[in-house]
Amino acid sequence: MRNSGWLAAAVFVSSVVTAQAPVAERLHSPGNPILADGRYYSTDPAPVVIDDTLWILAGRDEAPKDVNDFIMNEWQLLATKDPKSGDWAHYPAIARPEAVFAWAAPGRAYAGQIVRGPGGKLYLYAPVLEKDTDAKDGFAIGVAVADSPIGPWRDAHPSGPIISQRVPVANAIQNIDPTVMIDDDGRVYIYWGTFGQLRGMELERDMITPKGREVPVEGLTGFFEAPWIMKRNGTYYMLYAGNHAGPRSDCTPAVYHACIAYGTAPSPMGPWTYRGVVLKPVSSTTSHSGAVEFKGHWYLAYHTADAVGGGHFRRSVALDEMHFDDSVSPATILPVMPTRRPQPALAPSRNLARSASAAASNEPIPLQYWIKSLNDGITKVAPLPPDMWGSWSPRNPAQQWIEYRWDKPVTLDGARIWFWADQPAGSAIGVAPPARWHLEYWSGGWKPVSSPDGFGTAVGRFQPASFAPVTTRCLRAVFDASGAGGEHAGIAVEEWEALGPRAQPVLVRPIDAAPVSACN
Ligand code: FUB
């Protein structure tokens, strides 16, 4: 009986589509991500409510595991009448750039949004690559129109995009990530941009024709990309992916990652005031959200790398409730607590690193790296800098260390370490395997482990090390950098395991837990 509500949905769909219409696969999702088995990745969610159904437009990541690129050929849809039921319809392929826009190239079906316009017509604002353009950056925003979210979508402006580096006026930004709002008075506004550049413009009520000037949007601290415009109780809210990074940032410690931040304004064109963070960084480097009110509840749709085989370029849509604090004016958005479907218990392991807090000799650590990667249990074929701890800087010292600290003493007799490098062994530049490394433990002072064995330095696989058992609260891996004289390479570690004598239940230290005090 779980899916009985879908009978009504199927009737709704069959009454508005043609014989070639995309077919829905019905599924029950016990939690985030909604599509989790790795058959379809789904990204850049844009929710829209149409009658009694919550639809989520999403792109589709198709990058192989070792490819760090946005391979996105088409858009897809998820739909539910009740997000809490976990019952969804999935339309895997509803439109492709080159099929909708004659002027568009295939691929790069980036973050679009469907908006319900006058007369109930649906408008798809879609960033795609222009086929024939002399623009330096070929991304452009097209508009398609349809009567149903599943299409068929047809170009509403067949002469070309409504926004590019050439139209309506020349600009030099990457024209992606559109978000559109129809205000209560019927006026229409579009915002778009990435790489720290956000533009806003009024459109005519036809939803297509640029009306006002392209205006840079200011005041949204750390804006990176993925704007989402909405209005609630007379206040305009702009959600966006922000990447102002640093050890004390309210947004993200690592610059490749983003938080979802937001600002408010008293009018569609500002002035905007930064208000804070809605969602902490997720497991994918990009973060992209859309928010909507549905049947009396607000929801935030976003994406993560949490599906089976997921990654930074294999992202999956998640949905959680979003709440406001109406005791202040304008109402603030309370931080969204990401939820996940039930996860299988971790198998018992000798690795005690998951319960440690990590520190390093090079703090503040360069913003491209993220020290939490050391003990997150993840190694990747093609990691990005925040998937590792690293020490590269324009001038690298001869020695660096990383350290695990536990709340209580642990007994250890081994370790495994996974190095990353972009330069060969012996190099004095870039990131290279260390010349050698050793382990020290705290016992009233730092002492080298006894009877050391192993300690290889090859990259891209675990290098085992064993030693006579020690009981300690702090363990250090000390690296002698490769190079000579005053010239040394940096060092990078994807994962470092600290092994006890026997397997035991794995305790994972929450990422936002306070750091454990140093051993001195
Ligand atoms: O999916 C491609 C790009 O990644 C989007 O345009 C950005 O917002 C980021 O999510």
Side-chain angles (χ1 to χ4, degrees):
M1 292 307 290
R2 196 179 280 289
N3 285 328
S4 59
W6 284 101
L7 196 56
V11 170
F12 160 72
V13 166
S14 64
S15 65
V16 292
V17 299
T18 64
Q20 301 85 33
V23 176
E25 185 183 324
R26 290 171 205 168
L27 60 104
H28 179 73
S29 169
N32 290 320
I34 297 169
L35 304 176
D37 62 10
R39 282 188 309 134
Y40 288 93
Y41 297 106
S42 52
T43 182
D44 299 329
V48 58
V49 174
I50 301 171
D51 302 325
D52 65 350
T53 302
L54 171 64
W55 295 83
I56 301 178
L57 173 72
R60 178 176 173 201
D61 279 344
E62 293 184 86
K65 225 174 174 163
D66 57 349
V67 172
N68 287 341
D69 193 7
F70 298 114
I71 311 294
M72 304 174 72
N73 295 310
E74 58 194 350
W75 291 282
Q76 55 188 327
L77 279 167
L78 288 159
T80 185
K81 288 177 185 298
D82 177 8
K84 292 191 176 62
S85 72
D87 293 335
W88 291 87
H90 176 215
Y91 297 85
I94 58 134
R96 298 173 76 88
E98 75 282 15
V100 177
F101 306 105
W103 47 267
R108 307 288 174 191
Y110 274 22
Q113 184 180 359
I114 294 173
V115 176
R116 199 177 199 190
K121 285 246 176 267
L122 301 176
Y123 293 84
L124 166 64
Y125 295 84
V128 294
L129 272 181
E130 229 181 323
K131 199 160 51 181
D132 301 308
T133 175
D134 59 355
K136 211 162 170 196
D137 185 293
F139 272 106
I141 296 170
V143 189
V145 66
D147 294 317
S148 157
I150 62 172
W153 289 97
R154 61 181 171 75
D155 196 344
H157 190 253
S159 57
I162 63 162
I163 295 167
S164 73
Q165 284 196 339
R166 296 279 175 262
V167 295
V169 291
N171 75 30
I173 70 167
Q174 187 169 85
N175 295 286
I176 63 167
D177 287 4
T179 177
V180 172
M181 178 195 62
I182 307 176
D183 208 349
D184 300 332
D185 60 5
R187 291 170 75 178
V188 185
Y189 299 88
I190 185 167
Y191 309 81
W192 73 100
T194 182
F195 293 111
Q197 299 283 337
L198 177 59
R199 297 286 157 91
M201 184 172 72
E202 187 172 353
L203 294 178
E204 297 286 359
R205 287 166 195 245
D206 66 3
M207 308 287 288
I208 300 162
T209 313
K211 179 178 180 187
R213 287 186 309 119
E214 265 188 46
V215 183
V217 178
E218 313 285 358
L220 298 171
T221 304
F223 172 84
F224 180 62
E225 62 181 1
W228 181 267
I229 182 77
M230 59 188 225
K231 187 179 185 184
R232 180 179 180 269
N233 295 343
T235 297
Y236 299 84
Y237 291 81
M238 186 77 79
L239 276 60
Y240 59 94
N243 70 347
H244 51 290
R248 277 173 296 283
S249 164
D250 64 341
C251 177
T252 173
V255 73
Y256 274 66
H257 278 264
C259 67
I260 297 296
Y262 79 106
T264 62
S267 89
M269 285 305 189
W272 292 94
T273 304
Y274 174 73
R275 297 289 179 193
V277 171
V278 178
L279 184 71
K280 294 272 187 203
V282 293
S283 45
S284 54
T285 45
T286 61
S287 195
H288 191 116
S289 75
V292 78
E293 186 177 18
F294 179 58
K295 297 184 179 173
H297 297 265
W298 277 86
Y299 293 94
L300 185 80
Y302 56 98
H303 64 218
T304 68
D306 292 344
V308 173
H312 303 313
F313 301 90
R314 293 151 73 91
R315 302 160 290 177
S316 299
V317 170
L319 187 75
D320 276 304
E321 265 205 70
M322 185 171 97
H323 300 278
F324 291 81
D325 178 0
D326 283 305
S327 68
V328 291
S329 180
T332 52
I333 303 178
L334 298 175
V336 168
M337 298 303 157
T339 61
R340 281 189 76 173
R341 58 178 55 207
Q343 298 296 300
L346 293 171
S349 166
R350 285 180 63 204
N351 180 20
L352 303 178
R354 302 293 301 274
S355 61
S357 92
S361 53
N362 64 331
E363 293 180 23
I365 294 161
L367 295 181
Q368 69 268 35
Y369 304 117
W370 198 349
I371 195 169
K372 66 109 184 135
S373 306
L374 280 178
N375 56 344
D376 62 2
I378 300 171
T379 52
K380 291 188 170 156
V381 199
L384 291 179
D387 298 322
M388 60 189 84
W389 162 83
S391 71
W392 186 88
S393 71
R395 210 167 160 72
N396 300 296
Q399 205 171 62
Q400 295 277 7
W401 52 258
I402 50 179
E403 184 178 319
Y404 282 146
R405 298 169 182 167
W406 287 269
D407 291 309
K408 296 198 178 85
V410 293
T411 300
L412 304 166
D413 64 357
R416 298 202 305 163
I417 202 157
W418 184 300
F419 293 108
W420 181 90
D422 60 12
Q423 299 297 320
S427 172
I429 58 160
V431 175
R436 69 197 72 78
W437 65 287
H438 69 275
L439 289 168
E440 297 179 0
Y441 67 103
W442 180 266
S443 177
W446 289 105
K447 310 220 159 102
V449 294
S450 314
S451 313
D453 192 26
F455 294 87
T457 58
V459 298
R461 60 182 189 273
F462 275 117
Q463 298 300 311
S466 64
F467 48 89
V470 295
T471 298
T472 184
R473 212 169 59 69
C474 297
L475 182 73
R476 252 183 204 183
V478 182
F479 309 111
D480 293 325
S482 79
E487 302 289 313
H488 293 95
I491 293 148
V493 175
E494 267 196 68
E495 191 73 15
W496 174 32
E497 295 183 350
L499 306 176
R502 66 195 65 83
Q504 48 186 289
V506 174
L507 299 174
V508 178
R509 189 174 183 80
I511 188 176
D512 49 0
V516 177
S517 59
C519 284
N520 51 34

